[in-house]
Amino acid sequence: MRTDETGTIMIVDDTPANLKLLDRMLRVLGYQVFSFPRGDLFLAAAKTSPPDLVLLDIDMPDLDGFAVCHLLKADQALKDVPVLFLSALHQVQDKVRAFDEGGLDYITKPFQLPELGARIRTHLKLRRLQRELEAANRDLHARIQEQGKEHSEVQLAMIQALAKLAEFRDDKTGHHLDRVRRYCRILAAKAAEHPDFAGTVTPEFVTLFTDAGPLHDIGKVGIPDRILHKPGPLSPEEFEEMKDHVALGARTLEEVQERYPRNPLVGMGLLVIRHHHERWDGTGYPEGLEGEATPLAGRLMALVDVYDALRSPRCYKPALSHAEARTLLEEGRGTQFDPRILDLFLQVEEDFDQVFQRLSE
């Protein structure tokens, strides 16, 4: 029996066999489990003792899963409880409606138990992290009221902790975040010297971009291992699922921004998360923005991200030398990258290489 799983999970499904299977599996993993054959019974129990996560069927009599999720999210005390839909419905409109009602994930029956277990662990980690961030932000807010100033070092520690969670999933060297921070500072400082960017890239921009850059891939905590660590090319369907890490990461920070809309570090974090996969020619994702429609922070982050990815070994590719990485980056001039930003990189490329040499295993 595993002992590293914690949390209370409520299952809502009108099929006894499904309840029994899920109950047994989750208890073996070490979770506390409560099962309900009807949505109204679940809602009453959740009001009394909110769970850490809900597994919710859709096709049920009386209250279907959509209605149950809607009522759950309408309750102020329960609106942040993560909901994973488990359903035999596989139409796109069903999945879209599930997310519109507030679901965080959608798994089609019949499901694979290892994948379900992995997704549950991921969403529970995200939920715990959200609570830690909320608690830390509440504490920070109280300190600001008492002392009349912001504790930026505490704020930065929270951001770094959030980024570390993503690094744990996708990087084994332990130095990826340190490299990204240094790349961001080098490139942003150089951008401040460019006449096209000088008005935007202020000293505050450089600091915020440096501190927020490591957040760019936090959404990868929600991507299944079978995709994240696949030792070969992704299928078109897998690539579409991989692209979800942008939305997952943005959604995590948006919840913080709702509480602290004037927080500049969170705002910068959202920019790098949302836009670091856009391309200069408009063929990137998630919005397909072209040219300067992509915010400058996203264009800078795109080059930083690709450089470190090229230099780093992965399960699906070997590490490239600095010269090989530079050649591939130059091939992206005017298509993947803003030509001016590529020129900035070429002016500081030796600094990038030195950072990688110092912070690599």
Side-chain angles (χ1 to χ4, degrees):
M1 176 183 297
R2 296 185 59 154
T3 60
D4 60 341
E5 308 295 350
T6 60
T8 299
I9 299 176
M10 289 186 174
I11 310 168
V12 191
D13 196 314
D14 65 327
T15 304
N18 290 341
L19 288 177
K20 184 177 181 181
L21 173 64
L22 289 168
D23 185 283
R24 183 170 62 248
M25 183 198 80
L26 296 177
R27 288 184 187 277
V28 167
L29 291 176
Y31 297 111
Q32 186 176 22
V33 184
F34 297 93
S35 302
F36 303 91
R38 300 202 320 260
D40 58 335
L41 297 176
F42 153 70
L43 290 170
K47 288 176 185 279
T48 301
S49 182
D52 295 303
L53 183 140
V54 179
L55 298 180
L56 180 59
D57 186 26
I58 293 177
D59 191 11
M60 298 184 294
D62 299 324
L63 283 176
D64 65 14
F66 297 133
V68 172
C69 189
H70 181 82
L71 291 171
L72 184 77
K73 297 300 177 180
D75 190 315
Q76 189 66 23
L78 300 173
K79 66 181 181 67
D80 292 329
V81 174
V83 175
L84 278 66
F85 281 95
L86 287 175
S87 176
L89 302 178
H90 61 275
Q91 297 297 320
V92 172
Q93 58 266 31
D94 296 317
K95 298 180 180 180
V96 170
R97 185 178 176 189
F99 288 115
D100 286 344
E101 294 293 353
L104 285 185
D105 209 342
Y106 191 105
I107 303 174
T108 304
K109 297 177 182 177
F111 51 83
Q112 298 295 318
L113 295 183
E115 180 182 354
L116 177 60
R119 294 200 185 195
I120 287 173
R121 288 193 296 273
T122 292
H123 287 294
L124 285 176
K125 285 180 181 178
L126 287 172
R127 177 62 172 150
R128 286 194 293 270
L129 182 59
Q130 178 187 352
R131 287 171 168 169
E132 291 171 7
L133 282 171
E134 290 171 351
N137 273 303
R138 285 194 297 270
D139 178 68
L140 180 60
H141 184 65
R143 289 174 181 269
I144 290 173
Q145 287 183 322
E146 293 172 3
Q147 301 175 12
K149 65 178 182 178
E150 202 173 285
H151 288 247
S152 60
E153 67 277 9
V154 176
Q155 182 188 73
L156 181 58
M158 291 188 299
I159 294 297
Q160 291 172 336
L162 184 61
K164 276 290 184 183
L165 183 61
E167 183 186 36
F168 176 77
R169 291 287 316 286
D170 193 37
D171 183 84
K172 302 305 180 187
T173 69
H175 296 306
H176 170 66
L177 295 186
D178 292 334
R179 292 197 302 268
V180 165
R181 280 179 54 83
R182 285 163 173 77
Y183 297 147
C184 286
R185 181 171 293 281
I186 292 168
L187 193 59
K190 196 64 181 177
E193 302 174 5
H194 195 291
D196 290 352
F197 305 137
T200 300
V201 186
T202 62
E204 181 185 23
F205 181 103
V206 174
T207 298
L208 291 172
F209 182 66
T210 300
D211 292 339
L215 287 171
H216 65 287
D217 274 342
I218 62 170
K220 285 186 176 180
V221 297
I223 302 302
D225 285 346
R226 62 180 173 79
I227 293 178
L228 198 60
H229 301 302
K230 182 178 179 180
L234 299 179
S235 68
E237 294 78 13
E238 290 170 333
F239 183 61
E240 288 300 313
E241 194 167 351
M242 172 65 87
K243 286 158 59 173
D244 287 343
H245 80 275
V246 173
L248 289 169
R251 194 153 55 229
T252 300
L253 244 61
E254 283 166 356
E255 293 184 5
V256 180
Q257 190 181 52
E258 286 178 3
R259 293 171 173 81
Y260 302 97
R262 291 178 292 181
N263 186 302
L265 185 56
V266 174
M268 181 65 77
L270 279 170
L271 288 179
V272 300
I273 290 171
R274 286 171 174 159
H275 301 298
H276 71 284
H277 282 295
E278 300 289 357
R279 292 170 56 103
W280 183 250
D281 62 5
T283 61
Y285 66 89
E287 298 178 55
L289 300 178
E290 184 176 356
E292 294 187 356
T294 299
L296 179 58
R299 284 178 273 150
L300 291 166
M301 193 68 232
L303 189 141
V304 167
D305 183 39
V306 173
Y307 178 82
D308 197 66
L310 292 173
R311 296 298 312 272
S312 304
R314 292 290 185 265
C315 58
Y316 51 86
K317 73 166 190 69
L320 299 185
S321 69
H322 173 75
E324 291 169 327
R326 181 189 61 232
T327 297
L328 290 176
L329 289 176
E330 289 189 284
E331 290 176 0
R333 176 186 295 274
T335 54
Q336 187 168 5
F337 306 113
D338 182 338
R340 296 165 298 179
I341 291 176
L342 184 59
D343 287 338
L344 294 175
F345 163 76
L346 293 175
Q347 295 175 45
V348 295
E349 62 168 299
E350 292 183 2
D351 295 332
F352 269 56
D353 187 30
Q354 289 174 9
V355 167
F356 188 84
Q357 296 292 345
R358 288 199 306 269
L359 297 174
S360 298
E361 288 187 351

